[in-house]
Amino acid sequence: MTSVVDAAIAECLSSPDSKYETIEQVKDAASALHQTHACSLCILRFLQIPFGPVYQDQEAQIYEQLGLPEQPAEPCPVCLGILSTDVARQIAEKYTSQDFDAQQVTLGIEVPKSIYVRHRSMQIFCSANTTTQVHDVVDVKDTLKYLIAQQLASHSVAVVAECDTQIDIAFAHAETARDCQFLVDQTNTANSRVAIVAKLTACSDAEFTAHFASPPPLATTRALVTVSTKRASIFVGGRYLKLERNISQTPFIVEGRRVTEHSVSEIIGNPIQQLTKCDSYNMVGSGREDADVRMLGDGRPFYIECINPRRTRTLDEDICNIERTLSTTISPVQARRLQVIRAQDTAIIKEGEENKTKHYCALVWFAHELSQEKLAEINELGKQEIVLEQKTPVRVLHRRAPLTRPRKLLALAIEHIEGRFYRVRIESEAGTYIKEFVHGDLGRTVPSLAGLADSTADIFELDVECVSLDFPPAVI
């Protein structure tokens, strides 16, 4: 019966590019490589054996089929122990343990820079002792990718060239960290992978062997591996309603102490995080109201970016369930039109900052009752556009630049409730400080409602009733 190794060698010999004519020549080259203490997979790749089932065999089986004694249990001096089915299995198991639902992944592999030096050392040895050509050797990263792909395939995960999920695999080997130092010292080459590879390419065999042994010296330790997975963010868009006061949009923390007990982002974001199993999330609203201001009407547009989500498939119904749960549990924060959106759909939130308008309803107290004539005068003025000059409010000067900004009121209406209390409705462009328009902010907003009424004014309650930005698309 033909062994897996013999079949692979036969395939290699049948190639028009093969440098060998007989199986015996291949096995003689394998014997020379074996004497360097190279591992079975490094022997296969320096023999230019193409990827296939042979690379998945146990090391002892490969040696046996090549007619070679098994190597001692020591690290390969070429790949530093990186190339093995055990390492590939460890990487695959690490990925699957993270519970990602991705069916396709890409691999990002970083090997110690000493690998490139040792690879060149082995190429020089092969040129002198076998018929292998230095430019034909199978790459160590490609070999490892093949091994990992076979392991992941058993978990129904395919390795592809490009997708939204990447497994980052980084190897480190402290023992050989100075292998490439002679290249740095000789030419002041930057100690980067690209610089090292470029110098090795330009370096002659004689120059190289004057500073580094061929074949490569033995190593006593194996390379250590760390594995992490990163996945493109997914975005959940919607509109939120804030039915109670003293709830901030995001956690409101000053000097390590929470100012408000609840936040919109946590009430909506936490269940989304649990659903998507993301590392963290960011909430971005189309503007924000103060913590003591309610958000009513159809709500304020927002999206939540789920960073490194484990779950991204079949989310639609579960996202809708979060919206339903908030509405049926008498939550002070509600969500409308909650849905998964595309990354490019989020641009409208930023673009709409300068274009959207908002409708407000305020409960305002004046120092004295306003006459019917004064109310009529203000209401008549409010039928036309009013341009405000607003300096940065005193209450935010500690965190915002002291600028004067023109802002437009598109509509203004006032009605008497009782005593010295009035209901004021305002439509304004984005970025208008409504509280400051009402009381004047020590003359920093001109004109102000207090100035128009010829009376001291203060705002007791404020609600946002409409944010006129069509986002996200209505859920059908």
Side-chain angles (χ1 to χ4, degrees), residues 175-189:
E175 182 183 349
T176 61
R178 293 188 59 82
D179 277 6
C180 56
Q181 190 61 41
F182 73 94
L183 296 170
V184 178
D185 293 342
Q186 266 191 326
T187 60
N188 293 320
T189 303

Side-chain angles (χ1 to χ4, degrees), residues 405-457:
R405 303 172 179 85
R407 290 291 182 258
K408 296 177 183 178
L409 297 190
L410 306 178
L412 172 65
I414 183 170
E415 61 178 333
H416 185 231
I417 301 176
E418 62 176 23
R420 288 179 283 176
F421 288 93
Y422 294 79
R423 184 72 63 198
V424 179
R425 296 187 182 277
I426 302 167
E427 181 184 359
S428 72
E429 69 172 338
T432 306
Y433 291 103
I434 299 301
K435 293 177 179 177
E436 281 66 26
F437 164 68
V438 170
H439 57 64
D441 196 29
L442 304 176
R444 298 174 66 83
T445 292
V446 179
S448 66
L449 183 58
L452 296 175
D454 296 322
S455 173
T456 300

Side-chain angles (χ1 to χ4, degrees), residues 161-457:
E162 187 175 345
C163 68
D164 67 354
T165 305
Q166 176 166 308
I167 305 175
D168 288 321
I169 304 151
F171 290 93
H173 195 252
E175 182 183 349
T176 61
R178 293 188 59 82
D179 277 6
C180 56
Q181 190 61 41
F182 73 94
L183 296 170
V184 178
D185 293 342
Q186 266 191 326
T187 60
N188 293 320
T189 303
N191 191 21
S192 68
R193 180 190 64 82
V194 173
I196 294 299
V197 171
K199 179 56 184 173
L200 284 171
T201 302
C203 185
S204 69
D205 290 353
E207 287 178 306
F208 181 90
T209 53
H211 298 278
F212 198 87
S214 177
L218 299 180
T220 61
T221 57
R222 297 179 183 276
L224 300 178
V225 62
T226 57
V227 181
S228 61
T229 304
K230 59 184 179 184
R231 195 179 202 177
S233 296
I234 61 170
F235 298 84
V236 177
R239 303 178 77 95
Y240 74 79
L241 283 74
K242 193 172 75 176
L243 307 180
E244 296 180 6
R245 305 189 192 281
N246 297 317
I247 298 176
S248 55
Q249 188 183 84
T250 54
F252 189 4
I253 300 172
V254 177
E255 297 181 351
R257 183 180 64 85
R258 287 196 70 129
V259 178
T260 58
E261 182 180 358
H262 302 293
S263 72
V264 174
S265 66
E266 290 167 309
I267 292 173
I268 299 177
N270 286 350
I272 290 176
Q273 182 177 28
Q274 293 172 12
L275 175 63
T276 61
K277 301 179 181 178
C278 60
D279 287 348
S280 59
Y281 62 86
N282 293 322
M283 179 177 182
V284 178
S286 179
R288 67 171 64 211
E289 69 286 335
D290 290 339
D292 61 349
V293 176
R294 294 188 299 179
M295 181 65 239
L296 306 177
D298 192 34
R300 182 183 295 276
F302 75 95
Y303 68 82
I304 288 178
E305 179 186 6
C306 302
I307 299 169
N308 203 28
R310 268 70 173 167
R311 182 185 173 196
T312 66
R313 299 164 54 203
T314 63
L315 291 175
D316 292 344
E317 182 58 31
D318 290 326
I319 290 289
C320 290
N321 284 336
I322 292 175
E323 179 177 329
R324 284 192 286 267
T325 298
L326 290 173
S327 65
T328 57
T329 55
I330 320 179
S331 168
V333 173
Q334 306 277 308
R336 298 287 184 270
R337 293 158 61 173
L338 207 57
Q339 59 191 277
V340 177
I341 60 175
R342 302 170 302 172
Q344 56 264 41
D345 293 333
T346 64
I348 192 173
I349 293 292
K350 185 68 176 177
E351 293 166 1
E353 284 184 359
E354 299 302 323
N355 302 322
K356 66 180 182 288
T357 62
K358 302 180 190 177
H359 295 253
Y360 296 88
C361 181
L363 176 62
V364 178
W365 171 91
F366 290 95
H368 57 76
E369 287 191 30
L370 306 185
S371 67
Q372 290 300 316
E373 291 77 9
K374 181 57 72 174
L375 291 177
E377 178 186 326
I378 294 173
N379 283 325
E380 187 62 30
L381 180 64
K383 293 178 182 178
Q384 57 192 352
E385 186 179 283
I386 303 172
V387 178
L388 311 179
E389 293 294 325
Q390 287 200 306
K391 293 183 178 180
T392 303
V394 171
R395 62 189 172 97
V396 297
L397 267 176
H398 65 286
R399 54 187 172 87
R400 296 202 175 173
L403 302 174
T404 299
R405 303 172 179 85
R407 290 291 182 258
K408 296 177 183 178
L409 297 190
L410 306 178
L412 172 65
I414 183 170
E415 61 178 333
H416 185 231
I417 301 176
E418 62 176 23
R420 288 179 283 176
F421 288 93
Y422 294 79
R423 184 72 63 198
V424 179
R425 296 187 182 277
I426 302 167
E427 181 184 359
S428 72
E429 69 172 338
T432 306
Y433 291 103
I434 299 301
K435 293 177 179 177
E436 281 66 26
F437 164 68
V438 170
H439 57 64
D441 196 29
L442 304 176
R444 298 174 66 83
T445 292
V446 179
S448 66
L449 183 58
L452 296 175
D454 296 322
S455 173
T456 300

Side-chain angles (χ1 to χ4, degrees), residues 134-150:
V134 296
H135 58 275
D136 291 330
V137 177
V138 179
D139 182 71
V140 63
K141 286 187 179 182
D142 291 339
T143 307
L144 183 59
K145 285 181 179 179
Y146 175 81
L147 296 175
I148 296 170
Q150 302 310 305

